[in-house]
């Protein structure tokens, strides 16, 4: 029937889909995360030198995946919280008069045929705001495991397990130690997530329109039309991550120093001033290339798999409802 509403994935499904994509990306890209942490902590060492230093000893391959467990916990559950919260916020905004634009907010059920998105289409302001709020909330909840992860990856600490790392932080720094660098993390993650969603949705819209123009010329087959959302979403994810990462990298560099050496750097403002004074502005962009590459792949992979899981599930549930 033409008035049949598409079935909606439940909040628990969005949580599970986010968890799955987070675990996948964290497991595959842990070496890049480890290298970024070591480069940012080392103060004036190169990526190649850091890589050689890690792989010089025995079990070099295993060393590249050091800290995988806390990364999987952090990224897996962080992604689950982020995507489920973001979906709830987007659904709420799309069905209300919150954050309207001059043309209004696009309904969650009025998805454009020229869009590859499986999610509600919102205004740029709504995308920016919902993305930032969802990321900040997930970041706060996952902050303790983030601190443990960064220190576990660093060679400044000799933790032998997650339990020993948590016990040492609690003993020496108290509960506050588990939230070291949260200010810099929030200022990095909230704008990153907001900008990412804006650029991601805009890129998908432009590429989908280009696809439709190509399809109207008869150069695209029906099979290609059906599967075109995957490459469009992946390319959009890469482009969006590149721009958002470049803008927010200084906060990432400051956050790493605060989490590794809170006693030396104190707070975000003091840390940024001290880094610039001692090492120059360049220190704020340590690990940019590595972080940009990792973020481009991880964000594109996570969002592509997540949207595809949601799209396939909702299509299947809609077909099942129609057949009843």
């Amino acid at each position: 029937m033409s008035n049949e509403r598409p079935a909606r994935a439940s909040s628990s499904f969005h949580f599970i889909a986010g968890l799955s994509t987070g675990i996948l990306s964290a497991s595959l890209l842990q070496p890049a995360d480890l290298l970024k942490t070591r480069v940012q902590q080392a103060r004036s060492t190169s990526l190649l030198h850091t890589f050689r230093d890690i792989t010089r000893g025995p079990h070099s391959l295993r060393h590249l995946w050091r800290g995988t467990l806390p990364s999987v916990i952090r990224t897996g559950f962080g992604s689950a919280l982020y995507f489920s919260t973001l979906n709830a916020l987007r659904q709420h905004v799309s069905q209300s008069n919150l954050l309207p634009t001059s043309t209004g907010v696009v309904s969650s059920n009025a998805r454009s045929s020229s869009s590859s998105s499986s999610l509600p289409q919102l205004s740029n302001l709504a995308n920016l705001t919902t993305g930032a709020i969802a990321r900040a909330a997930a970041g706060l909840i996952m902050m303790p495991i983030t601190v443990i992860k960064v220190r576990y990856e660093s060679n400044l600490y000799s933790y032998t397990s997650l339990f020993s790392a948590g016990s040492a932080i609690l003993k020496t720094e108290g509960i506050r130690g588990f939230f070291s660098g949260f200010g810099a993390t929030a200022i990095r993650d909230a704008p990153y997530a907001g900008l990412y969603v804006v650029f991601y949705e805009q890129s998908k819209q432009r590429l989908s329109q280009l696809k439709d123009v190509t399809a109207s010329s008869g150069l695209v087959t029906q099979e290609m039309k059906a599967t075109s959302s995957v490459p469009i979403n992946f390319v959009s994810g890469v482009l969006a991550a590149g721009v958002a990462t470049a803008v927010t990298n200084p906060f990432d560099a400051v956050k790493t120093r605060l989490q590794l050496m809170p006693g030396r750097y104190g707070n975000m403002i003091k840390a940024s001033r001290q880094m610039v004074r001692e090492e120059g502005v360049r220190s704020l962009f340590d690990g940019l290339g590595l972080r940009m590459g990792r973020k481009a792949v991880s964000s594109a992979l996570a969002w592509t798999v997540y949207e595809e899981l949601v799209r396939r599930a909702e299509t299947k549930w809609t077909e099942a409802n129609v057949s009843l």
Side-chain angles (χ1 to χ4, degrees):
M1 294 174 62
S2 59
N3 294 328
E4 191 75 35
R5 283 190 172 186
R8 299 314 243 157
S10 64
S11 296
S12 60
F13 182 85
H14 283 272
F15 186 93
I16 294 172
L19 178 66
S20 302
T21 60
I23 291 175
L24 177 63
S25 63
S27 301
L28 292 176
L29 300 171
Q30 175 58 22
D33 217 25
L34 175 71
L35 287 168
K36 178 187 74 70
T37 297
R38 296 287 179 90
V39 168
Q40 289 181 336
Q41 79 164 41
R43 302 174 58 191
S44 73
T45 189
S46 67
L47 174 61
L48 182 59
H49 179 274
T50 303
F51 179 79
R52 287 175 176 172
D53 187 53
I54 295 173
T55 58
R56 186 176 297 139
H59 311 296
S60 57
L61 187 62
R62 188 172 67 184
H63 287 167
L64 286 172
W65 266 268
R66 176 177 171 81
T68 298
L69 180 57
S71 281
V72 165
I73 295 173
R74 170 187 172 271
T75 306
F77 283 96
S79 295
L81 289 169
Y82 171 66
F83 280 120
S84 56
T85 302
L86 180 64
N87 173 68
L89 288 172
R90 290 170 68 98
Q91 295 291 348
H92 181 65
V93 169
S94 70
Q95 296 167 9
S96 69
N97 292 322
L98 293 175
L99 303 174
T101 64
S102 58
T103 57
V105 177
V106 180
S107 169
S108 62
N109 294 319
R111 293 173 182 167
S112 170
S113 61
S114 63
S115 173
S116 66
S117 182
S118 299
L119 304 173
Q121 297 173 48
L122 307 178
S123 67
N124 287 337
L125 177 59
N127 283 326
L128 181 69
T129 305
T130 55
I133 293 174
R135 177 54 68 191
L140 176 62
I141 295 172
M142 300 305 300
M143 196 64 202
I145 193 64
T146 300
V147 173
I148 293 175
K149 165 193 167 295
V150 171
R151 296 195 184 182
Y152 200 75
E153 291 172 349
S154 168
N155 57 9
L156 297 177
Y157 300 87
S158 54
Y159 300 138
T160 57
S161 67
L162 295 182
F163 180 78
S164 66
S167 299
I169 294 172
L170 183 62
K171 182 178 180 180
T172 58
E173 303 170 49
I175 296 295
R176 184 177 180 180
F178 290 108
F179 294 89
S180 295
F182 175 69
T185 302
I187 293 177
R188 176 201 67 174
D189 286 353
Y192 173 87
L195 290 171
Y196 180 90
V197 176
V198 170
F199 291 130
Y200 179 67
E201 291 294 337
Q202 285 295 316
S203 180
K204 286 195 301 181
Q205 183 179 352
R206 300 291 187 272
L207 291 176
S208 294
Q209 290 171 350
L210 180 61
K211 177 205 70 174
D212 287 349
V213 171
T214 307
S216 64
S217 66
L219 299 177
V220 178
T221 64
Q222 287 300 120
E223 290 79 4
M224 292 172 65
K225 289 180 184 179
T227 60
S228 60
S229 64
V230 172
I232 286 176
N233 291 347
F234 190 86
V235 172
S236 297
V238 169
L239 295 175
V243 175
T245 299
V247 173
T248 59
N249 196 78
F251 300 110
D252 184 68
V254 171
K255 180 231 34 156
T256 300
R257 297 289 182 93
L258 286 172
Q259 290 176 341
L260 292 177
M261 296 168 275
R264 173 186 173 92
Y265 290 103
N267 57 54
M268 185 177 65
I269 296 176
K270 179 183 175 182
S272 57
R273 287 177 176 174
Q274 188 170 335
M275 289 170 65
V276 172
R277 183 175 64 252
E278 295 178 354
E279 306 166 51
V281 176
R282 183 178 179 182
S283 63
L284 297 176
F285 293 91
D286 284 342
L288 173 59
L290 196 60
R291 181 172 177 253
M292 187 177 290
R294 180 195 175 281
K295 277 288 188 180
V297 176
S298 64
S299 296
L301 179 64
W303 274 85
T304 301
V305 174
Y306 167 74
E307 286 219 61
E308 190 64 13
L309 287 174
V310 172
R311 185 185 68 82
R312 288 175 179 268
E314 291 187 347
T315 299
K316 182 177 180 180
W317 293 333
T318 299
E319 291 174 349
N321 289 340
V322 170
S323 64
L324 292 178

